[in-house]
Amino acid sequence: SALLASRRSSDRFLFLFAMAASVAVENLNPKVLKCEYAVRGEIVIHAQRLQQQLQNQPGSLPFDEILYCNIGNPQSLGQQPVTFFREVLALCDHPCLLEKEEIKSLFSADAISRAKQILATIPGRATGAYSHSQGIKGLRDAIAAGIASRDGFPANADDIFITDGASPGVHLMMQLLIRNEKDGILCPIPQYPLYSASIALHGGTLVPYYLDEKTGWGLEISDLKKQLEDARSKGIDVRALVVINPGNPTGQVLAEDNQCDIVKFCKNEGLVLLADEVYQENIYVDNKKFNSFKKIARSLGYGEDDLPLVSFQSVSKGYYGECGKRGGYMEITGFSAPVREQIYKIASVNLCSNITGQILASLVMNPPKVGDESFASYKAEKDGILESLARRAKALEDAFNNLEGITCNKAEGAMYLFPQIHLPQKAIEAAKAAKKAPDAFYALRLLESTGIVVVPGSGFGQVPGTWHIRCTILPQEEKIPAVITRFKAFHEAFMAEYRG
Ligand SMILES: Cc1ncc(COP(=O)(O)O)c(CN[C@@H]2CONC2=O)c1O
């Protein structure tokens, strides 16, 4: 019986080994292997290891905490959620509260009425039920009303697909448009790597157009045209143009005339315009304001038949920063009914987006108005957050520009600074010896010296031979001086070490 048992255990081991070998990196989907997403890449993984070390061995590193400046995740760094939004969410998720008399002393009158209004649009008032695959109709009505109020042009609830953040909407559109590697998507360089990752996952080709650092990350139509024609000459069928406005990682806000040129370019070249507008509420300079591409297109007289346009919004950014609630939408216009049916079909495969995110998406597009009980407190919270973000952006921008070997464009919007690090040749050689991109080498040294986590510019793309890092403006305001002091000390020591 012992022999039998050992035979069984060895057979089992062999079987498991055989099974284990049946799934190996070598035999995974090559599109998955090709996909990269630097925002949570090697630097962040190393930071998490160091964080564990700090917990296990306090005092073992030259800093006492990790400062995550790699991801636009405001509430992970102490930003508070907007009270009104959370009151409405709480009441919608536990409707029996609305029957209690004491509710009036705990929640604002307009949050109570908004919750009742929202629940009335949800079949059975059941936030735990699947909804329509585009999202609850009443919430899409509210989002469409918010878009119309923002732009001054009509919006239609049937054009709205409420999504679990903007990311799934981007993936859905890449899935829809990309047939094979001969299909190309024009993307800005530097770009937010959701786009390069999604194009890789769907087996398409990223066709780059370079933002011009010297002109504050301006977008030249002539460069767009050159890249488009170059791609077409190589047999690439360019399907769409991605614009991120305000920009991530670059922080620029497009000028209105530039936006007009982009819309005309897409119409004339037969391109779908994918307008990523998740930072539409994050504008920090007085000389720029947000114009949606929907508004620009309609202002130019372009209607449904002129331009296929997808506009992406999210509850993760702005002053709300509700990244973990996974809310957002895509507004699709200018597609034929049969194409819309295909978009609906893909959306329906995932049944629906989460209801909390849906409610929040409707709230950020319809916040309290003047005269509402919550308006004053809502506006104080909103202005407080945005004004603080603007101050933090300016403080970090100035600090970077005051350091030898660093130049940094203004963050007009979004949540990031993208300084260029003019690395000495010796540092570039040291990086090569370490088999790392120079900006990744720099970012790793920064992390190990200060605990500050940034993302190397190579994770977003950059003009060859230039090196950048992306740093968020999100550490709480009282921590910004410490971030600057630590960064300055590291950078000066690094430059002294590698000065040629
Ligand atoms: C330009 C842009 N589009 C879409 C998204 C996706 O957001 P949601 O799926 O949460 O709606 C992000 C997230 N920003 C990432 C996440 O944090 N830092 C970043 O660069 C983004 O920056």
Side-chain angles (χ1 to χ4, degrees):
S1 61
L3 185 64
L4 198 59
S6 72
R7 276 288 305 272
R8 277 209 190 103
S9 68
S10 62
D11 289 352
R12 197 171 121 72
F13 170 76
L14 288 173
F15 172 73
L16 287 175
F17 180 76
M19 282 306 292
S22 73
V23 180
V25 168
E26 294 70 34
N27 57 31
L28 297 181
N29 176 351
K31 297 187 186 79
V32 167
L33 302 181
K34 184 180 175 190
C35 166
E36 300 287 340
Y37 183 69
V39 173
R40 286 187 146 169
E42 64 162 323
I43 308 286
V44 183
I45 293 164
H46 188 54
Q48 287 158 348
R49 278 198 290 269
L50 295 180
Q51 184 159 23
Q52 195 57 55
Q53 181 182 331
L54 278 177
Q55 280 159 7
N56 301 340
Q57 305 157 277
S60 62
L61 293 168
F63 46 83
D64 52 13
E65 64 171 329
I66 300 286
L67 272 172
Y68 288 98
C69 300
N70 62 296
I71 188 167
N73 193 9
Q75 293 186 30
S76 73
L77 292 164
Q79 182 176 304
Q80 293 306 299
V82 172
T83 304
F84 177 79
F85 294 161
R86 288 304 182 91
E87 284 189 343
V88 175
L89 287 179
L91 291 170
C92 285
D93 246 1
H94 198 36
C96 63
L97 287 174
L98 292 165
E99 317 313 321
K100 298 184 183 303
E101 194 45 42
E102 60 269 37
I103 197 75
K104 294 185 180 65
S105 64
L106 294 170
F107 291 83
S108 60
D110 50 343
I112 291 170
S113 60
R114 183 73 73 93
K116 288 178 179 173
Q117 182 191 349
I118 287 173
L119 287 167
T121 71
I122 302 177
R125 300 173 72 203
T127 59
Y130 286 131
S131 76
H132 184 289
S133 290
Q134 288 183 232
I136 293 161
K137 175 64 168 55
L139 298 179
R140 286 187 280 124
D141 286 335
I143 290 169
I147 293 169
S149 164
R150 178 196 69 193
D151 293 346
F153 289 95
N156 186 325
D158 293 339
D159 295 343
I160 306 291
F161 285 72
I162 308 180
T163 50
D164 291 319
S167 302
V170 171
H171 286 306
L172 187 152
M173 288 311 299
M174 295 305 174
Q175 195 172 30
L176 184 85
L177 294 171
I178 295 172
R179 295 159 293 186
N180 53 50
E181 71 285 346
K182 286 291 182 196
D183 283 335
I185 309 286
L186 271 162
C187 285
I189 299 296
Q191 51 98 36
Y192 169 51
L194 164 67
Y195 290 93
S196 49
S198 189
I199 292 166
L201 280 173
H202 294 97
T205 296
L206 187 149
V207 179
Y209 65 91
Y210 285 88
L211 302 175
D212 184 356
E213 186 162 15
K214 292 184 295 301
T215 61
W217 303 111
L219 189 168
E220 296 300 332
I221 297 297
S222 54
D223 184 50
L224 267 183
K225 181 82 173 161
K226 177 177 161 300
Q227 298 296 349
L228 174 64
E229 287 170 350
D230 180 50
R232 283 175 173 164
S233 71
K234 294 172 183 163
I236 299 291
D237 180 354
V238 181
R239 312 296 311 274
L241 165 68
V242 172
V243 187
I244 306 173
N245 180 49
N248 173 7
T250 43
Q252 85 287 6
V253 179
L254 289 174
E256 191 171 339
D257 57 350
N258 208 194
Q259 291 185 274
C260 292
D261 292 342
I262 291 164
V263 168
K264 291 172 187 168
F265 177 79
C266 288
K267 174 166 172 16
N268 297 338
E269 299 294 347
L271 301 177
V272 176
L273 177 52
L274 300 174
D276 183 323
E277 300 176 331
V278 301
Y279 295 102
Q280 59 188 265
E281 301 264 13
N282 298 99
I283 310 284
Y284 307 126
V285 290
D286 296 334
N287 66 327
K288 293 280 185 71
K289 77 179 188 66
F290 173 76
N291 296 299
S292 71
F293 273 96
K294 170 88 172 302
K295 176 182 177 182
I296 296 292
R298 296 294 177 270
S299 304
L300 288 170
Y302 291 160
E304 277 288 326
D305 300 332
D306 297 304
L307 176 77
L309 165 65
V310 184
S311 307
F312 300 99
Q313 170 58 315
S314 171
V315 305
S316 299
K317 309 302 175 184
Y319 55 90
Y320 18 87
E322 295 274 23
C323 306
K325 299 291 183 190
R326 308 312 293 135
Y329 68 79
M330 59 181 191
E331 180 191 18
I332 62 161
T333 54
F335 293 87
S336 67
V339 170
R340 295 163 67 91
E341 284 166 21
Q342 296 302 316
I343 295 173
Y344 173 78
K345 179 179 69 179
I346 303 179
S348 65
V349 167
N350 291 339
L351 295 160
C352 71
S353 60
N354 80 87
I355 304 303
T356 297
Q358 292 191 32
I359 293 170
L360 204 42
S362 76
L363 290 170
V364 303
M365 296 306 288
N366 289 277
K369 289 188 276 296
V370 173
D372 292 351
E373 179 189 317
S374 298
F375 179 72
S377 59
Y378 155 78
K379 190 163 186 322
E381 289 176 59
K382 171 183 176 182
D383 291 350
I385 288 167
L386 291 175
E387 286 161 9
S388 172
L389 284 170
R391 289 193 298 268
R392 286 178 263 172
K394 188 72 176 74
L396 284 165
E397 172 201 331
D398 290 346
F400 285 137
N401 280 317
N402 286 333
L403 289 172
E404 173 219 355
I406 294 187
T407 51
C408 186
N409 281 337
K410 181 182 291 297
E412 296 180 328
M415 291 185 169
Y416 316 98
L417 288 162
F418 198 62
Q420 182 171 167
I421 317 289
H422 302 270
L423 293 168
Q425 189 53 33
K426 272 176 71 180
I428 292 173
E429 283 152 16
K432 197 172 172 186
K435 295 188 176 51
K436 297 229 176 284
D439 47 21
F441 178 76
Y442 179 91
L444 210 51
R445 289 288 301 275
L446 171 69
L447 169 60
E448 289 172 343
S449 307
T450 66
I452 296 171
V453 192
V454 298
V455 184
S458 36
F460 302 90
Q462 53 204 341
V463 169
T466 65
W467 308 107
H468 297 77
I469 56 171
R470 189 191 78 171
C471 181
T472 72
I473 59 173
L474 298 178
Q476 280 308 291
E477 199 160 358
E478 63 273 13
K479 289 204 169 178
I480 292 291
V483 170
I484 291 172
T485 304
R486 286 195 213 176
F487 190 97
K488 180 175 186 304
F490 159 75
H491 179 78
E492 288 171 349
F494 182 91
M495 294 300 272
E497 182 182 347
Y498 290 105
R499 193 167 285 114

